[in-house]
Amino acid sequence: MSEALSPLEQLIRAEVRAQRPRLMIATAAAIGVTCGAALLLGLSGWFIAAAALAGLAGPAVAHAFNYMIPSALIRLLAIVRTGSRYVERVAGHEAALQGLGRLRPRLYARLAEGRGAVKTLAAGEASSRLIEDVDAIQTRFIRLSAPWALGAGLLVSVAMAALPHIASAVALVVGAAALVLGSHWIAERWVRPAAGDRQAAQGQLKARLAELEAAVPELTAWSLEGWAAAEVARVADAADAAAITLSRRAGYLMSWAGAVTGLTLAGVVGLPLILSPVPPATPLIAVAALATAAGMEAALALVTALRDAGAARAATARLEPLMGEAETGRVDTPAGTALRLFPDLSIGSKFDQVHMVQ
């Protein structure tokens, strides 16, 4: 039996299905980015090394060396990579914005009703959930192309790394696997809890600011401004500490990625020199080295997606109580370029202090 989905999860999955054409375009463009980057780096490494050797061999060899075709291919791959990156960003973010455009009106409506779990929310906490948590969910749209891009880029990189020796390709596969698996463990063990703590601390800070702002006349009458400032400083220090902890643990993740990339590069370059009876040609070694850099860069994209996934899951958990019961109908947004969610000024004023604390 399949597990019942929450109303928020149902809405997100419905929007993912609705935005599937754009997401497919973004995925195809992401594959073009990773493959183009791998081919560009590999060909550039071969071209630089081969041209240098041709120059050292003497004027006759230098004049006979074909510079035109490799340089033209390098320019073509650079254009493909740049164009693919542009299409990926536009299509992916458009899909995310279209999907989130249907989520925010639903949350605003739930806050305006003021029933259920919404009653317990302060203005600052409501602001945090409406803005930061909803923004965190957009990674579920944008990062959907990461696994496909990783696979395509790594496949091209492995093929080029195998040119000097098959051991180079094996080293690249092992290094990429260690990078992804180790980064996933670090993200789940350290980064994800820290991301949740930071989101909670930011919400508490905004809630405390909204409470004290609403009580400004009373605080002034009783000469409690100093206490209020100390209270804000206390909550702000807690939020800063949570942000520092998150940055430090994210640094652990990037340090692991850098160490694994360096060891993998050493193995890709060193193994052919050790295992081959005849040292491979220098241009092929350059191809393998730069292809390894491209392959590990593609793996880093998945590492970033894993890091963002923790914040997205935490945000989803905080938003679920606001969604209420699942609705059978589709949540439609008003037509036009502007959304008039609260035409009644009495309702709209309820959210003024929510935006004042941004």
Side-chain angles (χ1 to χ4, degrees):
M1 179 183 297
S2 61
E3 184 180 357
L5 298 177
S6 65
L8 177 59
E9 189 66 28
Q10 293 180 30
L11 182 61
I12 292 175
R13 294 196 179 189
E15 291 305 323
V16 168
R17 290 192 296 269
Q19 302 301 325
R20 185 167 296 170
R22 294 185 179 91
L23 293 174
M24 291 180 65
I25 294 174
T27 300
I31 292 174
V33 170
T34 55
C35 293
L39 291 171
L40 176 60
L41 284 178
L43 180 58
S44 299
W46 175 89
F47 183 52
I48 293 172
L53 292 177
L56 293 174
V61 178
H63 284 294
F65 185 77
N66 189 342
Y67 295 92
M68 299 300 296
I69 294 179
S71 61
L73 289 176
I74 288 174
R75 289 179 174 84
L76 174 62
L77 291 173
I79 293 173
V80 169
R81 185 186 64 171
T82 304
S84 298
R85 176 68 72 187
Y86 176 80
V87 173
E88 178 204 5
R89 296 298 187 189
V90 171
H93 284 81
E94 184 179 3
L97 293 175
Q98 291 283 349
L100 296 182
R102 299 183 183 276
L103 176 60
R104 279 197 174 95
R106 172 76 178 273
L107 293 175
Y108 271 108
R110 291 289 298 166
L111 286 176
E113 292 171 2
R115 297 197 299 253
V118 181
K119 293 181 179 179
T120 62
L121 290 182
E125 182 68 15
S127 171
S128 177
R129 295 194 184 188
L130 282 173
I131 298 175
E132 295 179 4
D133 287 349
V134 175
D135 287 342
I137 292 179
Q138 74 176 340
T139 59
R140 296 189 57 174
F141 294 85
I142 297 173
R143 298 297 181 186
L144 285 176
S145 61
W148 299 99
L150 166 66
L154 188 59
L155 182 62
V156 173
S157 299
V158 168
M160 289 190 294
L163 293 177
H165 197 279
I166 190 63
S168 297
V170 175
L172 176 54
V173 172
V174 172
L179 174 62
V180 173
L181 295 177
S183 299
H184 179 68
W185 185 85
I186 294 174
E188 290 294 323
R189 177 67 177 81
W190 287 326
V191 179
R192 180 184 174 187
D197 293 342
R198 179 185 176 277
Q199 291 277 15
Q202 290 290 335
Q204 293 173 3
L205 174 60
K206 291 185 177 183
R208 196 59 176 155
L209 283 172
E211 292 170 357
L212 293 175
E213 183 183 15
V216 166
E218 291 80 2
L219 293 174
T220 303
W222 293 94
S223 300
L224 294 175
E225 296 92 339
W227 172 86
E231 184 69 10
V232 171
R234 181 186 65 82
V235 182
D237 288 342
D240 290 340
I244 292 172
T245 300
L246 176 59
S247 299
R248 184 182 298 115
R249 295 186 179 184
Y252 297 158
L253 185 63
M254 300 313 297
S255 298
W256 166 257
V260 173
T261 300
L263 292 174
T264 302
L265 186 59
V268 168
V269 174
L271 288 178
L273 300 176
I274 297 173
L275 300 178
S276 298
V278 178
T282 302
L284 295 182
I285 294 293
V287 170
L290 293 181
T292 299
M296 300 303 283
E297 183 181 359
L300 282 176
L302 184 58
V303 172
T304 303
L306 292 174
R307 183 182 62 189
D308 294 340
R313 285 194 293 267
T316 302
R318 284 190 295 271
L319 288 172
E320 281 177 354
L322 303 184
M323 298 302 296
E325 299 297 329
E327 295 181 359
T328 56
R330 181 182 177 89
V331 180
D332 292 326
T333 56
T337 57
L339 297 179
R340 298 188 60 187
L341 300 175
F342 301 108
D344 186 358
L345 293 179
S346 62
I347 298 179
S349 62
K350 180 179 180 180
F351 295 91
D352 288 345
Q353 61 179 356
V354 174
H355 297 285
M356 288 175 66
V357 298
Q358 296 305 310

